[in-house]
Amino acid sequence: MKSSTSPRVRSVRRVATGCAAAAIATTVLFSPSAAFAETADNGGAQRNDGDNTVPLRSAIVDGPATNVILLIGDGMGDSEITIARNYAYGAAGQLPGIDALPLTGQYTTYSLYKDGARKGKPDYVPDSAATGSAWATGTKTYDNAVSVDINGAPQQTLLELAKANGLRTGNVSTAEIQDATPAVQVAHVASRSCYGPDSASCGADALAAGGLGSISEQLLDTRPDVTLGGGSASFTQTAKAGDWSGKTLFEQAEGRGYQVVKTAADLAGVTAANQEAPVLGLFTPGNFPTRFAATTATVGGANTPVSCAANPDRLGTDLSLASLTNSAIDLLNSPAESSKGFFLQVEGASIDKRDHSADACGQIGETIDLDEAVRAALDFAEKDGNTLVIVTADHAHTSQIVDSTPPTSLSTAVTTLEGSVMKISYGTGAAGGSQQHTGAQLRVAGYGPGAANVVGLIDQTDNFFTIANALRLNRDTAALSAGAKATLPKTVFAPGETFDAALTGLAGDRQITGVVASEPVAVPKTDVLAGSATIPLTAPTELGEHTVTLTGSQTGTIVTARFTVTADGQPLPGGATGTGGATGNAGGLASAVNGALASTGAAVFPILGAAALALLAGGTALYRRRHNRPIPRA
Ligand SMILES: [Zn+2]
């Protein structure tokens, strides 16, 4: 490994700093490009520094990892990486973040058709929803799907699993936080545009229709420790069903203990983020403004080279993607909270969006922005020593570096760092329309424990398993809730007396619902924080024995506790006080429904609807049995 740089590199980097690119990191993890002579000389452009066998061998580190940071450049294919490098660092230069990862492979990204004769066959050009779902869940699915399989069954995500295993979690994007890439870690919907309670596309996923809710509402349920991005507009919408019906999602977030932050100053004031007080930072109504001002590609446009200009509307650098990445890492890795490690996903979203708009400078700026976030992640990982960093994209995109101005398709030319001209063509859409994604395989790069698993030709779904294995995630969430128990403060209550049930050991679940019987009274849906919850209850007015039955929303685990109501709240003479304060029951029915959020093909119940029905039927039967059973006498 070499850390020295030749005068050529230094001069290139100095220009880059004063030009388009931002600060250049000095640390080089692995340095195939550290030494250049003039590129016209024999060997002058080579990136290898002699034999790389030894540094490559030392870059292969056994897992497990304590932390994983997954960085996604949306739409960042090889073209987009090369274009940004050429522009900002030169053809012989190096992106300080993306190009510093020592282990690289390629992965396939195709999605699957959902319907008709082609159901299950490859769709060679995927969207961000299918591709994000692939790495978030390990299951290939259809375009438009957010972490549901081709039959609509919700699939457990890395973020959900990390949380269930006691790790801390974060989700950062320059897009609306409801956009597909951030959404795939926190929600399960059939249609990616189901952003909020007002989204007509939610259909059966809407809370009012008995579904899990819109992406924004599910985000609040999933409760990552840190969420940073855009998309505040959806949180001003009002819930139409559920316990928070009639309240805006911002009101709901605050009511459920979130620290809602809307400015860089707000974020700077946050000192801790955890399950009791997670951070929801939404800094723009929609997507973040881009770093560079937009350029418009035209037919013949590459005949007149331009330079990229700063976008005056860009957010302050304290809200750059690198800055938000550092904030998230700081909060997730704080000594008080980091004992079990963390999983963090970071997305540079608008490489894709500017590519769709045939905006060369826009996409270049967003790629540089992501690269700086990668550098921030690597700087942390290098110091930490137990962090796996993976950098990749979701799907390839339109932009191509071409030799001459295309006669029929849109193009733009930019003057690069070296003063040369790079012509960029957009040939998959008409002027003013949306350019298309493309179907080529993508680069995937890794650093740290377990990174060897990105090498070679893999599939996007491999990322799920690489990360789950690196973090040693137990994917059997029902097992993580199997030790659940409920404890009541005493065993006998007066009619109408209020008390709390303390629930512990329900790590596989994020919410709990329940019923107090005999006359059934619903228990409010309650957030389970790190396996524990405090559930406010009211003793029925009917004298006799009663049961509270609590059901974990994600695993279907059932916990019961029994108590007695007497007229004066005192035990009956002879000790007929029921069964005692705490009875845990996480077996039986729970094991029958633990596929509610499973992995298709590896689990018990492939369809949530079926699991929910089974749960409903089972829960009702259980309730009836308990209700009809004579009160046991001690
Ligand atoms: Zn796109």
Side-chain angles (χ1 to χ4, degrees):
M1 193 175 299
K2 266 183 99 153
S3 59
S4 64
T5 50
S6 72
R8 161 75 184 162
V9 171
R10 281 198 297 273
S11 95
V12 165
R13 288 183 172 180
R14 198 160 47 238
V15 177
T17 305
C19 179
I24 308 300
T26 52
T27 312
V28 178
L29 291 168
F30 177 79
S31 177
S33 60
F36 295 123
E38 290 299 325
T39 51
D41 293 347
N42 174 255
Q46 74 171 15
R47 291 177 182 273
N48 273 346
D49 177 25
D51 184 10
N52 272 325
T53 306
V54 170
L56 183 59
R57 195 176 278 137
S58 71
I60 297 172
V61 179
D62 289 343
T66 307
N67 312 307
V68 171
I69 305 173
L70 171 64
L71 298 110
I72 304 293
D74 201 304
M76 189 180 71
D78 285 342
S79 278
E80 287 71 25
I81 294 172
T82 312
I83 288 167
R85 186 195 301 116
N86 284 350
Y87 180 80
Y89 296 94
Q94 175 172 335
L95 289 159
I98 294 167
D99 290 338
L101 282 86
L103 301 170
T104 63
Q106 295 282 318
Y107 74 26
T108 47
T109 68
Y110 63 94
S111 55
L112 301 178
Y113 286 107
K114 174 177 186 270
D115 300 307
R118 291 190 295 182
K119 180 173 183 176
K121 292 189 189 301
D123 176 344
Y124 298 108
V125 182
D127 79 342
S128 295
T131 53
S133 298
W135 77 67
T137 72
T139 305
K140 284 267 188 212
T141 189
Y142 63 93
D143 289 359
N144 204 26
V146 172
S147 293
V148 298
D149 72 6
I150 59 170
N151 296 311
Q155 308 288 298
Q156 297 188 114
T157 75
L158 282 170
L159 192 149
E160 292 168 345
L161 287 167
K163 191 178 136 128
N165 281 266
L167 278 75
R168 300 164 53 67
T169 58
N171 197 8
V172 177
S173 178
T174 55
E176 297 165 314
I177 206 69
Q178 304 82 3
D179 203 15
T181 305
V184 296
Q185 294 291 357
V186 298
H188 308 270
V189 293
S191 173
R192 58 184 283 180
S193 60
C194 171
Y195 273 22
D198 291 350
S199 302
S201 60
C202 290
D205 290 318
L207 278 182
L212 295 173
S214 66
I215 291 167
S216 301
E217 290 166 299
Q218 290 191 50
L219 185 159
L220 294 176
D221 282 349
T222 300
R223 206 175 179 92
D225 296 294
V226 177
T227 302
L228 302 174
S232 60
S234 296
F235 280 79
T236 64
Q237 295 177 17
T238 301
K240 294 178 169 38
D243 295 322
W244 296 91
S245 183
K247 301 269 195 245
T248 70
L249 303 196
F250 271 130
E251 289 169 337
Q252 179 180 160
E254 286 175 349
R256 293 171 76 172
Y258 280 84
Q259 303 178 70
V260 173
V261 299
K262 297 179 179 176
T263 66
D266 287 349
L267 181 59
V270 172
T271 55
N274 51 41
Q275 283 299 283
E276 285 68 34
V279 172
L280 177 63
L282 301 177
F283 305 101
T284 50
N287 300 316
F288 281 16
T290 55
R291 178 184 190 121
F292 286 167
T295 45
T296 303
T298 57
V299 175
N303 288 326
T304 312
V306 298
S307 291
C308 298
N311 177 8
D313 296 330
R314 188 190 183 202
L315 301 180
T317 52
D318 45 6
L319 292 174
S320 71
L321 190 58
S323 209
L324 294 181
T325 300
N326 279 328
S327 296
I329 291 171
D330 287 348
L331 290 168
L332 295 173
N333 193 55
S334 81
E337 316 283 0
S338 63
S339 58
K340 281 192 160 180
F342 65 81
F343 170 68
L344 170 64
Q345 178 175 297
V346 174
E347 182 204 24
S350 291
I351 305 166
D352 168 81
K353 297 179 195 309
R354 302 327 303 159
D355 220 328
H356 278 299
S357 295
D359 171 6
C361 281
Q363 78 175 58
I364 288 169
E366 296 312 283
T367 310
I368 294 168
D369 223 42
L370 174 77
D371 187 66
E372 290 173 4
V374 172
R375 192 60 253 174
L378 289 174
D379 287 345
F380 168 77
E382 270 191 296
K383 274 189 252 132
D384 178 69
N386 289 303
T387 298
L388 168 63
V389 178
I390 295 179
V391 180
T392 188
D394 50 357
H395 52 74
H397 220 306
T398 291
S399 61
Q400 291 291 323
I401 305 167
V402 295
D403 199 29
S404 55
T405 303
T408 56
S409 65
L410 307 179
S411 61
T412 295
V414 291
T415 304
T416 64
L417 177 78
E418 302 104 328
S420 197
V421 172
M422 173 170 57
K423 296 187 173 184
I424 304 163
S425 166
Y426 296 87
T428 62
S434 181
Q435 302 291 318
Q436 299 179 41
H437 299 169
T438 53
Q441 64 194 34
L442 296 175
R443 178 181 187 175
V444 51
Y447 166 79
N453 294 296
V454 307
V455 174
L457 178 64
I458 60 174
D459 182 74
Q460 201 152 42
T461 51
D462 283 286
N463 261 1
F464 171 83
F465 299 97
T466 295
I467 294 170
N469 291 337
L471 293 173
R472 292 178 294 181
L473 300 183
N474 180 353
R475 296 166 56 201
D476 183 351
T477 49
L480 295 172
S481 282
K485 65 176 186 179
T487 305
L488 307 185
K490 53 185 184 172
T491 58
V492 183
F493 299 93
E497 186 175 349
T498 57
F499 58 98
D500 287 339
L503 189 85
T504 57
L506 202 69
D509 288 277
R510 300 185 290 280
Q511 279 77 39
I512 188 130
T513 59
V515 63
V516 178
S518 39
E519 287 312 312
V521 177
V523 172
K525 184 166 145 184
T526 305
D527 288 318
V528 177
L529 310 183
S532 300
T534 301
I535 299 138
L537 299 173
T538 303
T541 51
E542 182 189 346
L543 303 186
E545 184 168 331
H546 300 274
T547 301
V548 55
T549 302
L550 301 168
T551 306
S553 298
Q554 282 72 37
T555 68
T557 297
I558 288 177
V559 184
T560 60
R562 298 163 77 181
F563 59 93
T564 301
V565 173
T566 61
D568 59 0
Q570 298 302 314
L572 292 171
T577 57
T579 59
T583 60
N585 173 17
L589 181 61
S591 64
V593 297
N594 66 6
L597 276 177
S599 302
T600 294
V604 188
F605 258 69
I607 299 173
L608 178 68
L613 281 175
L615 178 59
L616 191 62
T620 305
L622 190 70
Y623 152 66
R624 287 194 193 289
R625 275 200 307 279
R626 296 249 154 86
H627 184 55
N628 295 332
R629 189 189 304 162
I631 297 172
R633 296 283 161 185

